[in-house]
Structure formats: structure tokens, C-alpha cells
Amino acid sequence: MTDYFEVHERDGAARVGELRLSSPRSTPTLVDDVLEDGGSLWSQSREVPEGDESTLTVLPHRAFPGGTAPEVQESFAVEYPDVDYPSVAVVSSDHVDDHGTDAYALSNVQSVMGHGAALVEAVVGAREAIPTDTALMFSGVATPRNVALLAYAGVDLFDATAAVVKGTEGRYLTTDEAYFLEDLDELPCSCPACQQPREEFTREDCAEHNRNALEAELAIVRRRIRDGRLRDYIEGQARHDQWLTAAMRELDSQWGYLEERTPILRDAQINAATEDTLRRVEIQRFADRVTTRYRNRFDNPLVLVPCSATKPYSESQSHRQFHDVIQWRGHLVSMTSPIGVVPQELETTYPAQHYDTVVTGRWSEDEKGFVSDVLQRYLERNEYPKIIAHVPDEGYRDIVERVEKRLDLDITYTVAEHPTDDESLANLSEALSGELTYSKREREHNTVRAIADYLLGDGAGDDLFANIQTTSRYPKIQVRDSEDTQLATMVPQYGTLSFTLEGAKRWVDSDAPTKRVEIDGFVPHGSVLAPGVVDADEEIRVGDEVIVEGPKAFAIGRAEMFGREMAESTRGIACEIRHVEEK
Ligand SMILES: [Zn+2]
């Protein structure tokens, strides 16, 4: 159906796609050069009147040379209403339906610009109404300042109309401002249009500069999406206009929309530099899963410790010192902003070892509120015989004391001046005296169970891995059943599990919630493409382990799309197969 647009990379709601014009190009991108081409599809599209889909324009792009009379093109479209060429439907944001076109342009985008909530409502409404493998176009509104946020929200196609018009009106646009040209003694740019002497710089040059600035910003956006780091950029870029910051926060409140589109793991570091980082999906999802899925399986006291800059924490100098004292007599849980609390079994699990934060030693009220809320929920779910807080005064202790009071707990504090000074470490040892150590085996078993809980759901660790043995060395743990058949391997980079076929069968037979992809009657090798997918569980996220099954094959692999996207898409890689067997 949609042969002319394919999504290649995803970063939350933002995507890098390929628009298959005569020379293919990567989205998010400007398409007004296509608009200017006389025989183009874009210029021939028109509004779909309410309730009258028969007049929907589905016009061929390559079939007509430039200059072909519109009537000829139109008659062609009417004659071949199902013609399989790139096409765009122009629709109003309060009336979006799936018309089977490659792209959708919202006709009323002007009215939502400048209003965070209205913009988000329009984008989310449109995206939820049209298939995931179609492009969404915002015409006449993109500027160097707003285009990153628009792409982040889920818009794929733009034009330079607004930027060019503003230029001819004497407005010089940058990613942070819209200057009056006459106010600029010096041009803050070195693009080709800005190379000439200031006094010779005309409004036409200004228009060209605006377009260049827009193109450059889109190139940054595409790079950021490919790197999985657009959000870090948005948290800074949106600051340049209040309504863009409002739009970012409105999007954060659209949990379902963003969560479905956010991968459960990736290589990119999260740059925790603003208060808004606390509200991003990766952070909220970790906090949610740790407090609703994870369960502590140790009988030992809880030892709360501060996080470390080195990740995973256990490799840091301070945590090595803690460990020398604790010696597996306590269950180590690190407190950190922006993640919340990290039980030792999940210290490698994304994003627990994939973030960098600004180190000032001062906690904001937002951070304290967030971490104390997570700690409270954690302690409501997990009971310990004793709680030791080996945390410094600044921030950490305040948070622990809040939770102690709210839950009416009795917590032992062991830090004198600094967590690693001799007196503090002696206090910690004293607080743990008489406690028994747990074994390496117990620690490894509980680690794979904790990861299974985290990835698959509450109770999954016990359902799947009640009776196991582990080999190899942490964090490269191999999980085997009692007959020594390998079931899964821990993936240290992301703190996840990758299953074998035997592990996948055990997963299917267990009570743990499965993530299934139903395919047609073929035996997949390598990649499963979306057209081969019959159905997929809606809970599947990019990066999830998935059971792939059809009349001819049973396989285990990793999701490259979210579940609904696999079922809806007609192009692109749905998942990568690791092991397969024919039925
Ligand atoms: Zn310039």
C-alpha cells in the first residue's frame, strides 16, 4: 500500500525514514522542491472533503513529466483510483482517517503553532489515526527553531515556505531566535548566503539563509534520531521558545503515545541535564518496572548506597569499598537521580548504566520528590528484616528520612562524614555484624530472575527460572536447566536476556506473559519483514525478546518495531531472528 515511504530508524515518536522519490531522501526533510516540480504528487494532492473519499487524490509522481496539465493528471487519478504511486491526503486534524496514501498533510497546522497542547493533540491524533509506515507532513510552519520539536513529536515532512517568507520580510532565523535583519550588525552564521559583506546582504539572501538554517537543523535532527539522542537535544533546543517547552512537556504527559514508541534498550547514553529528564519515558519506565515488576529475593538487610559516576556502579571505587565491607551480607540498592533506585541485580539493565548526570552534589526539590516517591513504592513492595542507609547527608539522607517517616520505618544510618571514610565503613560493618552471606550462585540466580521480572512482568522470574543452574562469570551469565540445556544468556551491555529456542519453549509453556509475533507460512532466517507478520502483541517494544511463530516455524528473536507497528506496516524489518526451527 505504501510503497514510497519506509521507516528505518526510530527514536521515540521521531523516525528517520526513506521517501522514495526519483532520488530517495531521508526524512525528516523538506519536500518543497518536490512541490515546485510541475508533475509532482504533492502539488496535486487536495483536501479530502468530509465523507467523500471518492475524490481523494492518489496521483502518480513518476508517471507524469513536469507540466502535465492538472486535468490530465486528475482524470488519470479518477480512472485509476487504486494506482500504486506516492500520494498525499490533505486532512484536517480533527478529521483524520486512513486513506491508504503514503503521506498525510494536516491542513490546519497554522492554528496549532504556538500552542503546546494543541500541537501535541494534533500530532498525536493524526499519528494514532494513520498507519505507522506513512509520513506526516506539516506544511508552511517549519523554522530552524521549531523543526526539531516537530520532528520529535512525530512529523516527517516539512517545507521551507514559512522560513522563506519570513526571510523576505526581513526576519533572520536561527535555531534560537528570529532577529530583525536591521538589528544585526554581524550575521551569526557562516552558510553560503551569509558569506558576503553585511551591507550587501539582501532580504533574498536572508530567505536563503533561513532555508539553509532549516536544512542544517534537519540534518542535526536526523543524526540525533539515528543516534537515539534526539530527546537530549530537545531538552535544550525547546528552551528557546516557551511554547516549545510546553509542547515537550505536553508530549511527556502523553505516556501511551511515547512509551509505545520508545525502545527498551539502546546504546545511546541519556544525558540527564535538566529537570525534564525525570519525565522521559526511559526513566519513568524503569521506575515503574522496578516498583511493580521487580521483587527482592534475598533475606538479608537492605543497604541503601549513593550511586557512582562509574557504571555499572559495582565497578566504581566507592562501590568496591562498600562491597569489601558488605561481602554479600546485605542487598545493595543504589539511590540516584534521575533513575530512582537501582537494585544490584539490575545495575546493568538499560538505562541504569546508560546515563550521565550533572554532578553538583545538590538535589533539586523535583529530584528529591521523584527519588523519594520511587523509594517509597519500592519499600512498600519489598520487605526487609533491616534497612541500613549508607548515604551522605546532602540530599540522600533527606530522601531516606522522608520515606522513613511516611512508612513508619526504623532505618539505621551509618555515614559519619563521607560514605567511604573509615568511620562510616566501620559503622556499616557493625550494622551488618552477625548477618549471613549469600552465595554467588544465589546472587546469579536472583539476577537472571530479576531481569526476567523486569523484562517480562511480575512473577516472570519465578515462573521461568525456578529451577536453574548458572555458568560463566557475572555479568555474562548463562542460564541452564537442570539437564544442562542452555535457556538464555545475560547480555551485559543492556542487562537483558537473550533466549535460546529451548528457553523460548519454556517461556511459552510458563505462566509469564509472552510477546508473540505471528507470521505467515514461511521459515524466517535473518530478518522478518513486516509484510510477513500476520499479528503481533501490542505490548511488544523495540528491543524486546519475541516469540516468532507460524504454520512452518518456531523462532526466537528481537523486535525492531513495536507490536502495533509490526501488524500495521507493509514495509521494513519487524524483527531479527536469532534461532529458528522448522515445524
Ligand atoms: Zn546563514
Side-chain angles (χ1 to χ4, degrees):
M1 196 161 63
T2 56
D3 275 351
Y4 293 85
F5 181 69
E6 179 175 336
V7 178
H8 290 313
E9 314 258 358
R10 298 156 187 81
D11 185 9
R15 307 94 64 78
V16 165
E18 182 186 347
L19 191 61
R20 299 206 168 121
L21 300 172
S22 40
S23 57
R25 67 182 67 183
S26 291
T27 66
T29 189
L30 301 179
V31 290
D32 35 1
D33 57 323
V34 186
L35 280 166
E36 283 157 18
D37 170 6
S40 84
L41 70 123
W42 308 103
S43 57
Q44 297 306 322
S45 62
R46 59 168 190 252
E47 199 145 355
V48 182
E50 232 169 89
D52 185 7
E53 286 172 29
S54 61
T55 58
L56 170 70
T57 310
V58 183
L59 279 177
H61 175 51
R62 277 166 247 183
F64 300 121
T68 304
E71 308 84 65
V72 175
Q73 300 189 23
E74 222 158 297
S75 66
F76 185 90
V78 172
E79 209 174 326
Y80 303 101
D82 299 323
V83 70
D84 196 13
Y85 284 104
S87 51
V88 58
V90 183
V91 291
S92 165
S93 70
D94 45 0
H95 236 274
V96 187
D97 289 307
D98 177 0
H99 294 293
T101 52
D102 299 281
Y104 293 80
L106 291 196
S107 58
N108 57 328
V109 286
Q110 297 286 353
S111 66
V112 300
M113 298 303 281
H115 310 282
L119 170 79
V120 169
E121 196 185 324
V123 177
V124 172
R127 280 256 73 111
E128 299 282 28
I130 62 179
T132 51
D133 59 347
T134 56
L136 180 61
M137 178 166 177
F138 268 31
S139 179
V141 294
T143 66
R145 182 161 54 181
N146 68 24
V147 76
L149 189 281
L150 294 175
Y152 174 72
V155 185
D156 307 289
L157 306 177
F158 305 95
D159 58 39
T161 312
V164 167
V165 168
K166 282 180 187 359
T168 55
E169 291 167 358
R171 294 299 284 263
Y172 184 99
L173 306 182
T174 60
T175 53
D176 60 321
E177 258 304 341
Y179 295 100
F180 286 103
L181 185 53
E182 59 265 31
D183 291 345
L184 292 175
D185 304 326
E186 186 189 340
L187 301 175
C189 174
S190 57
C191 80
C194 299
Q195 292 296 318
Q196 54 200 304
R198 173 68 188 88
E199 59 277 12
E200 285 166 33
F201 190 83
T202 64
R203 289 189 168 194
E204 282 70 50
D205 298 325
C206 188
E208 197 186 328
H209 155 82
N210 286 355
R211 176 183 247 288
N212 291 341
L214 187 53
E215 294 266 24
E217 181 70 352
L218 279 164
I220 288 173
V221 167
R222 290 192 296 271
R223 183 67 255 162
R224 283 274 170 173
I225 295 170
R226 291 188 176 107
D227 290 340
R229 299 200 58 195
L230 183 59
R231 169 65 184 221
D232 296 349
Y233 185 72
I234 292 296
E235 286 184 18
Q237 178 56 29
R239 287 293 182 283
H240 297 303
D241 209 337
Q242 314 308 334
W243 85 270
L244 294 174
T245 303
M248 177 184 69
R249 291 182 181 160
E250 288 289 341
L251 261 176
D252 282 344
S253 66
Q254 297 279 344
W255 168 256
Y257 177 73
L258 280 189
E259 196 278 332
E260 186 176 34
R261 291 164 172 78
T262 302
I264 61 148
L265 55 87
R266 53 181 153 199
D267 293 323
Q269 293 277 317
I270 290 174
N271 190 3
T274 82
E275 302 283 279
D276 290 307
T277 307
L278 291 174
R279 284 180 282 276
R280 61 187 281 174
V281 167
E282 298 90 330
I283 303 297
Q284 294 289 336
R285 180 156 59 197
F286 189 88
D288 178 60
R289 290 187 178 191
V290 164
T291 53
T292 61
R293 295 182 172 191
Y294 168 83
R295 191 177 292 283
N296 168 47
R297 294 177 170 86
F298 296 98
D299 299 325
N300 302 63
L302 167 67
V303 183
L304 290 168
V305 295
C307 66
S308 60
T310 303
K311 318 269 185 327
Y313 305 134
S314 60
E315 288 175 14
S316 72
Q317 185 68 31
S318 60
H319 280 237
R320 279 169 205 253
Q321 286 176 276
F322 301 153
H323 176 67
D324 286 345
V325 172
I326 299 169
Q327 292 290 347
W328 313 121
R329 288 181 294 165
H331 180 232
L332 204 70
V333 173
S334 300
M335 291 170 59
T336 175
S337 175
I339 307 282
V341 300
V342 182
Q344 64 188 23
E345 304 97 299
L346 298 178
E347 68 160 4
T348 62
T349 299
Y350 181 86
Q353 60 165 337
H354 303 81
Y355 72 96
D356 272 318
T357 191
V358 182
V359 181
T360 59
R362 286 188 303 275
W363 291 64
S364 71
E365 189 45 48
D366 274 14
E367 289 175 308
K368 286 184 182 178
F370 172 72
V371 178
S372 61
D373 180 49
V374 177
L375 179 61
Q376 177 176 341
R377 281 185 282 148
Y378 179 85
L379 288 172
E380 281 166 349
R381 184 173 156 86
N382 293 291
E383 266 190 54
Y384 288 90
K386 181 177 186 177
I387 301 174
I388 299 164
H390 192 70
V391 294
D393 255 352
E394 186 61 61
Y396 289 102
R397 178 148 181 162
D398 184 15
I399 292 165
V400 177
E401 283 174 345
R402 283 186 201 189
V403 178
E404 181 177 25
K405 204 169 163 193
R406 281 188 225 151
L407 298 182
D408 196 22
L409 301 167
D410 183 15
I411 295 178
T412 305
Y413 296 87
T414 48
V415 171
E417 285 282 323
H418 190 270
T420 53
D421 65 34
D422 290 346
E423 190 185 348
S424 302
L425 293 174
N427 292 344
L428 177 57
S429 186
E430 171 66 26
L432 287 166
S433 69
E435 298 294 341
L436 300 174
T437 61
Y438 49 84
S439 66
K440 173 169 168 284
R441 190 178 55 92
E442 197 180 349
R443 176 167 54 95
E444 292 188 348
H445 290 195
N446 287 348
T447 297
V448 295
R449 287 172 191 141
I451 294 173
D453 289 342
Y454 182 90
L455 293 175
L456 310 180
D458 188 11
D462 293 329
D463 290 337
L464 258 155
F465 298 134
N467 200 0
I468 51 166
Q469 34 180 337
T470 49
T471 56
S472 304
R473 204 180 145 81
Y474 178 87
K476 290 180 184 164
I477 301 173
Q478 287 192 9
V479 187
R480 295 171 182 277
D481 67 11
S482 47
E483 263 92 66
D484 212 29
T485 304
Q486 194 180 340
L487 301 173
T489 307
M490 179 176 165
V491 184
Q493 299 95 301
Y494 313 112
T496 57
L497 297 168
S498 77
F499 286 88
T500 62
L501 275 179
E502 285 308 312
K505 286 174 191 166
R506 191 165 167 145
W507 183 13
V508 170
D509 292 341
S510 79
D511 291 334
T514 45
K515 295 163 196 279
R516 283 172 183 274
V517 180
E518 187 191 338
I519 58 168
D520 277 328
F522 62 96
V523 181
H525 295 284
S527 309
V528 172
L529 299 177
V533 174
V534 176
D535 202 4
D537 284 343
E538 291 202 352
E539 288 70 39
I540 295 170
R541 300 290 172 265
V542 173
D544 265 331
E545 289 285 296
V546 285
I547 306 278
V548 181
E549 197 166 13
K552 294 204 166 142
F554 178 87
I556 181 80
R558 179 159 286 181
E560 298 288 326
M561 293 178 175
F562 57 93
R564 209 162 49 79
E565 189 178 23
M566 286 186 196
E568 276 179 10
S569 295
T570 54
R571 277 190 171 271
I573 296 169
C575 51
E576 295 287 356
I577 298 297
R578 190 178 312 112
H579 305 291
V580 61
E581 70 179 19
E582 287 185 43
K583 278 189 181 173

